[in-house]
């Protein structure tokens, strides 16, 4: 089943990047536009909204324990014999959270990243999960996206669509892709406006502590350099603390133009799973989980991942080989 993407038109104004009070609606929502030349169609606003808007699966694990990061935050580390065991456990973890939030809130907001993550979600498209999860409650977002067409090989949307979304019955209007017809800056503003509408309509929760959107589950990957989302080592965007969604035009990893959630949004999440398989990540895992020098306690972007809720690392034995 093909999934649809939800995006906003290029005429949207820039809104305030903080949420000091509940946003107010000024105009009605209409859905239109069904282009046929991409792997999915887009639903768009024709009117503009104004205003500011433990679970522990029983799988083969080499270890699962709480540990303190260099930043002092406790996290749970789970190490698996193989990528297959990791995928089975991640599916159970995600399905349990889906049931929890569907019953609690009537919605389950899930944020995806690119890279190896989608492959790690492969068990969700198989029994028992594909038939037992209430997919109608899912709302899917991207923590970052490359500003390329949705059918481009570099698109995180395409990666998720081909490997996951097209194989589960998530409602078309519950998949929120960027408007790839815009510039990087315009796409970031457009996506932030979309999030503010969804906070206003209570699809997305909001953090009482920070005022930023509070997603139920954020599924993050990590690069060998320790980057998460499109937040790279040494880049000024690491310190962005006002915008919900920002943009980068000089990504050290191609393609250069991307949009990305800021760390305040990432860290407002109820649950974050850092899904990190592969030997190429072993050095960064070692540094992030306390193996590095205390003088360099925060040298990697991943070390800034410190959610209000629960952080769980899903590692295979190769990624954890230097711990």
């Amino acid at each position: 089943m093909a999934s649809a993407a939800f995006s906003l038109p290029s005429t949207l104004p820039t809104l305030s990047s903080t949420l000091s009070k509940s946003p107010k609606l000024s105009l009605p929502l209409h859905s239109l536009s069904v282009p046929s030349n991409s792997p999915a169609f887009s639903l768009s606003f024709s009117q503009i909204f104004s205003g500011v808007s433990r679970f522990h699966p029983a799988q083969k694990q080499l270890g699962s324990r709480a540990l303190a990061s260099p930043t002092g935050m406790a996290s749970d580390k789970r190490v698996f014999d193989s990528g297959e065991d990791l995928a089975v456990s991640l599916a159970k973890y995600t399905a349990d959270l889906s049931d929890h939030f569907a019953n609690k809130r009537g919605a389950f907001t899930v944020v995806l990243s690119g890279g190896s993550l989608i492959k790690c979600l492969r068990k969700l498209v198989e029994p028992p999960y594909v038939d037992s999860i209430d997919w109608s409650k899912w709302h899917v977002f991207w923590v970052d996206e490359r500003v390329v067409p949705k059918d481009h090989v570099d698109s995180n949307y395409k990666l998720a669509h081909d490997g996951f979304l097209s194989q589960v019955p998530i409602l078309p209007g519950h998949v929120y892709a960027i408007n790839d017809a815009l510039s990087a800056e315009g796409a970031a503003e457009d996506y932030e406006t979309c999030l503010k509408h969804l906070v206003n309509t209570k699809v997305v929760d909001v953090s009482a502590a920070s005022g930023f959107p509070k997603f139920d589950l954020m599924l993050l990957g990590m690069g060998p350099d320790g980057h998460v989302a499109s937040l790279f080592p040494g880049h000024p965007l690491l310190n962005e603390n006002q915008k919900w969604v920002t943009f980068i035009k000089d990504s050290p990893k191609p393609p250069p133009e991307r949009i990305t959630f800021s760390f305040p949004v990432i860290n407002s999440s109820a649950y974050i799973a850092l899904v990190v398989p592969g030997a190429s990540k072993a050095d960064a895992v070692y540094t992030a989980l306390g193996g590095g020098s205390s003088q360099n306690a925060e040298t990697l972007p991943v070390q800034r991942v410190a959610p209000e809720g629960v952080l769980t690392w899903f590692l295979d034995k190769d990624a954890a080989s230097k711990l």
Side-chain angles (χ1 to χ4, degrees):
M1 177 182 301
S3 297
F6 177 92
S7 59
L8 296 173
S10 59
T11 55
L12 290 173
T14 302
L15 299 182
S16 169
S17 60
T18 58
L19 184 61
S20 59
K21 60 182 179 179
S22 298
K24 305 296 182 184
L25 297 182
S26 64
L27 294 170
L29 170 66
H30 300 277
S31 298
L32 35 100
S33 173
V34 185
S36 59
N37 59 350
S38 70
F41 63 85
S42 295
L43 300 175
S44 300
F45 281 129
S46 64
Q47 299 289 355
I48 301 167
F49 288 85
S50 68
V52 291
S53 22
R54 279 224 228 230
F55 301 98
H56 296 269
Q59 269 314 118
K60 282 170 50 181
Q61 298 179 206
L62 296 180
S64 178
R65 61 187 177 90
L67 66 158
S69 72
T71 57
M73 184 196 64
S75 61
D76 181 42
K77 174 175 66 69
R78 306 182 187 184
V79 181
F80 300 88
D81 281 320
S82 66
E84 184 73 3
D85 291 335
L86 186 157
V88 170
S89 184
L90 184 63
K92 175 68 164 59
Y93 170 90
T94 303
D96 285 345
L97 286 174
S98 176
D99 289 346
H100 170 75
F101 283 105
N103 291 329
K104 177 184 177 182
R105 299 183 54 242
F108 181 44
T109 54
V110 183
V111 181
L112 304 177
S113 57
S116 60
L117 174 73
I118 300 303
K119 184 178 179 181
C120 293
L121 294 176
R122 62 188 179 274
K123 292 299 179 182
L124 286 174
V125 307
E126 300 175 4
Y129 304 113
V130 69
D131 302 315
S132 61
I133 288 174
D134 187 350
W135 297 103
S136 69
K137 299 296 193 294
W138 279 51
H139 295 259
V140 178
F141 305 83
W142 278 264
V143 69
D144 72 324
E145 178 59 287
R146 292 85 178 272
V147 184
V148 295
K150 291 183 180 65
D151 59 356
H152 192 281
V153 66
D154 289 328
S155 168
N156 283 339
Y157 171 84
K158 175 177 171 56
L159 178 67
H161 175 270
D162 293 351
F164 176 50
L165 298 176
S166 62
Q167 301 177 55
V168 293
I170 295 174
L171 297 177
H174 289 185
V175 177
Y176 305 89
I178 70 165
N179 186 338
D180 55 71
L182 302 177
S183 66
E185 182 175 9
E189 292 177 355
D190 183 79
Y191 208 55
E192 183 166 316
T193 301
C194 171
L195 297 187
K196 287 178 176 177
H197 162 63
L198 294 169
V199 165
N200 180 53
T201 55
K202 302 190 184 306
V203 171
V204 176
D205 205 355
V206 65
S207 166
S210 70
F212 286 91
K214 183 174 184 175
F215 292 96
D216 299 329
L217 174 61
M218 192 163 293
L219 292 159
L220 295 179
M222 183 192 74
D225 61 353
H227 84 267
V228 293
S230 284
L231 299 165
F232 294 93
H235 198 279
L237 286 187
L238 294 175
N239 299 316
E240 174 59 57
N241 61 10
Q242 297 295 317
K243 294 180 179 179
W244 294 10
V245 185
T246 187
F247 66 97
I248 181 172
K249 290 188 173 181
D250 58 350
S251 168
K253 180 180 178 181
E257 296 196 355
R258 302 157 175 243
I259 67 101
T260 183
F261 285 2
S262 61
F263 270 120
V265 173
I266 292 171
N267 287 333
S268 293
S269 301
Y271 290 82
I272 293 180
L274 264 165
V275 184
V276 185
S280 66
K281 318 290 180 65
D283 286 336
V285 168
Y286 173 75
T287 299
L289 293 180
S293 168
S294 60
Q295 293 181 337
N296 299 311
E298 194 174 339
T299 59
L300 302 180
V302 71
Q303 291 173 275
R304 300 194 185 201
V305 177
E308 292 180 14
V310 181
L311 171 62
T312 303
W313 288 75
F314 287 80
L315 308 168
D316 65 8
K317 63 182 180 181
D318 291 334
S321 61
K322 297 190 176 182
L323 293 177

